[in-house]
Amino acid sequence: MTSAPARACGIDFGTSNSTVGWLCPGQPTLQSLEDGKPTLPSAIFFNADEGSTHYGRDALHTYLEGYEGRLMRAMKSLLGSSLMDGGTEVAGRALAFRDLLAHFIGELKARAETAAGRPFEQAVFGRPVYFVDDNPAADRKAQDTLEAIARQVGFSEVSFQFEPLGAARHYEAALTREERVLIADIGGGTADFSLIRLSPERARHTDRRDDLLGNAGLHVGGTDFDRALSLACVMPLLGFRGRLRNGAEIPSALYFQLATWHTINTAYTRQSFADFQHLYREAASRRELDRLGRLIDRREGHWLALQVEQAKIDLSTAPAIALDLDRLEDGLQHPITAEDFTRATETLVDRVAATVRDLLQQAGIARQDVDTLYFTGGASGVPHLRTRIAAELPDARCVEGDLYGSIGAGLAVEAAGRYG
């Protein structure tokens, strides 16, 4: 903790939730962003009925109350994607996706400044190890885009740190001895890993390059688990993997749009509706497509995605749940078990485990030489994912950090070190 308030803040702009950290003696590191809470869900709702804009929990609650408008979530996933240079329609007007992100990050900045009682002009932003897998040019463009947006909303100095290294700084503050630590940061959009030497002595050093033993990451996170669960267990109720009268499988594009947070709104375009009408005419069975038609007509895609997301959360602690889908058909309930969830996400978990193995191999570190496995990020709470990662490091002590706050708090430490 510094003896005077830091000049800069640390910002964890997340796929699902965002936080802002600031070091000030005697004050909590994470700033209160909504209803006294340090997290602001990364969501915007443009309320067409009242001409208002809502953020975070308020955005989700207002949308679920039935107001007409446009809900946007998982906006961070746009960075590095081909969609980033495009836009969407809000209240009959075109809105560029860059300006959409600026709306949210500007609100994040304003709320942090209100909580801190001072302006922020310098910030360290967290970033995933890779915004885009296996494409350095696209990855660099994603960071450059985020930096430009940060400057657009009023930051004059912007720098970046890998999100798992932000979490490492937070964990290191509590250490009494040196450890080799694998930071597993699994958030809404990415799974990122940093293997690093941490200790009270090393914490005093500004240059930590020699302590970083390796980084790895891939574009798999909580929203990918949502999509996999939706496609495996829910979309078949709407006709996914059904058949046309000619025996061919129903095309899957519309289902993938509805199962992916940042593409749900594309399912409501005229072209998508025309595609649906063609499928309906040619389908061998129409009961499932009747449900799909109701969902599209009522624009209930985000509502369904929220039900699937809650099912994912509930299945992390319960052996089975019953999904209430009466908005699609009166009395429709669908059981999903924890085993269903495990099977649906098996491929994703395999990819994450392979990334951990590759990181150890590239770093030249034996699995038994890692002292601690430190989990952060909301999706790291998925039991079968956590168990699989821990199996790669059987001798490591497992530690759970603040799943939603470790990165923001660590970035605050980084910001104080860089900018004073």
Side-chain angles (χ1 to χ4, degrees):
M1 180 68 71
T2 58
S3 58
R7 297 172 59 227
C9 64
I11 295 183
D12 177 22
F13 168 46
T15 302
S16 299
N17 292 279
S18 296
T19 61
V20 179
W22 175 53
L23 293 189
C24 180
Q27 299 294 322
T29 299
L30 293 178
Q31 302 302 291
S32 295
L33 300 178
E34 185 180 24
D35 298 333
K37 297 179 175 64
T39 56
L40 182 67
S42 302
I44 301 179
F45 180 63
F46 297 98
N47 187 331
D49 287 340
E50 299 184 352
S52 54
T53 304
H54 303 257
Y55 299 87
R57 295 169 189 83
D58 181 42
L60 298 173
H61 292 159
T62 305
Y63 166 75
L64 289 174
E65 284 176 359
Y67 287 94
E68 287 294 323
R70 178 62 58 89
L71 177 70
M72 301 298 295
R73 281 195 74 187
M75 295 169 286
K76 185 178 178 180
S77 298
L78 294 165
L79 290 166
S81 78
S82 59
L83 295 173
M84 191 64 235
D85 293 326
T88 188
E89 185 178 298
V90 174
R93 296 182 179 180
L95 176 66
F97 284 134
R98 289 172 183 265
D99 293 333
L100 174 69
L101 266 65
H103 272 289
F104 184 80
I105 294 172
E107 182 70 13
L108 196 59
K109 180 178 187 289
R111 293 189 183 206
E113 290 174 338
T114 297
R118 54 149 293 166
F120 290 117
E121 294 185 359
Q122 298 88 14
V124 176
F125 275 74
R127 58 149 293 166
V129 174
Y130 300 112
F131 279 106
V132 183
D133 296 340
D134 303 319
N135 190 332
D139 186 78
R140 181 67 201 181
K141 182 180 179 182
Q143 179 175 304
D144 290 346
T145 300
L146 181 54
E147 180 175 350
I149 291 169
R151 294 184 182 279
Q152 178 183 334
V153 302
F155 289 107
S156 59
E157 295 182 69
V158 180
S159 58
F160 293 88
Q161 179 57 280
F162 291 138
E163 288 158 356
L165 292 184
R169 294 296 296 266
H170 181 250
Y171 175 63
E172 189 173 43
L175 289 182
T176 59
R177 64 180 180 85
E178 181 167 311
E179 295 182 6
R180 281 181 177 170
V181 182
L182 180 68
I183 306 291
D185 168 28
I186 308 169
T190 56
D192 292 322
F193 302 92
S194 287
L195 187 58
I196 188 169
R197 280 190 294 256
L198 302 176
S199 73
E201 171 62 30
R202 294 178 186 277
R204 292 192 282 269
H205 299 165
T206 302
D207 188 348
R208 303 296 299 274
R209 282 176 292 184
D210 291 341
D211 295 333
L212 181 60
L213 305 175
N215 278 319
L218 72 166
H219 211 261
V220 167
T223 55
D224 298 283
F225 280 72
D226 294 345
R227 181 174 61 238
L229 181 60
S230 181
L231 289 170
C233 298
V234 180
M235 289 300 162
L237 300 173
L238 307 181
F240 181 52
R241 301 228 181 266
R243 295 288 169 178
L244 301 174
R245 286 182 296 178
N246 64 8
E249 188 173 282
I250 291 176
S252 62
L254 187 56
Y255 299 100
F256 275 85
Q257 288 171 349
L258 288 167
T260 305
W261 272 107
H262 63 278
T263 61
I264 290 172
N265 286 311
T266 62
Y268 307 141
T269 63
R270 288 185 183 138
Q271 183 58 55
S272 292
F273 185 67
D275 292 342
F276 165 74
Q277 289 179 309
H278 175 72
L279 294 179
Y280 191 85
R281 287 193 298 268
E282 299 299 322
S285 172
R286 290 181 174 173
R287 182 179 182 184
E288 293 81 5
L289 290 183
D290 283 335
R291 298 169 182 158
L292 178 61
R294 290 188 201 102
L295 180 141
I296 294 172
D297 184 58
R298 299 172 185 174
R299 299 197 169 200
E300 297 279 23
H302 286 96
W303 169 81
L304 181 60
L306 286 167
Q307 307 316 301
V308 174
E309 181 183 43
Q310 189 60 50
K312 174 191 71 177
I313 294 168
D314 293 343
L315 288 169
S316 293
T317 56
I321 57 99
L323 203 60
D324 186 351
L325 300 174
D326 61 349
R327 288 199 191 186
L328 304 182
E329 181 180 293
D330 287 345
L332 179 62
Q333 288 200 336
H334 184 61
I336 305 176
T337 67
E339 289 80 7
D340 293 332
F341 182 32
T342 298
R343 283 193 296 271
T345 55
E346 184 177 9
T347 300
L348 297 175
V349 171
D350 286 345
R351 290 177 60 197
V352 172
T355 300
V356 173
R357 289 196 300 273
D358 290 346
L359 171 58
L360 294 173
Q361 183 176 9
Q362 291 166 14
I365 301 295
R367 60 202 306 227
Q368 64 268 22
D369 291 335
V370 178
D371 301 301
T372 303
L373 175 56
Y374 181 87
F375 288 105
T376 188
S380 71
V382 174
H384 59 279
L385 174 61
R386 182 177 291 205
T387 298
R388 183 65 181 281
I389 296 171
E392 299 296 328
L393 300 167
D395 298 327
R397 178 174 66 108
C398 291
V399 174
E400 180 179 289
D402 181 338
L403 296 188
Y404 300 100
S406 297
I407 295 172
L411 292 172
V413 176
E414 190 77 24
R418 293 186 186 187
Y419 298 108

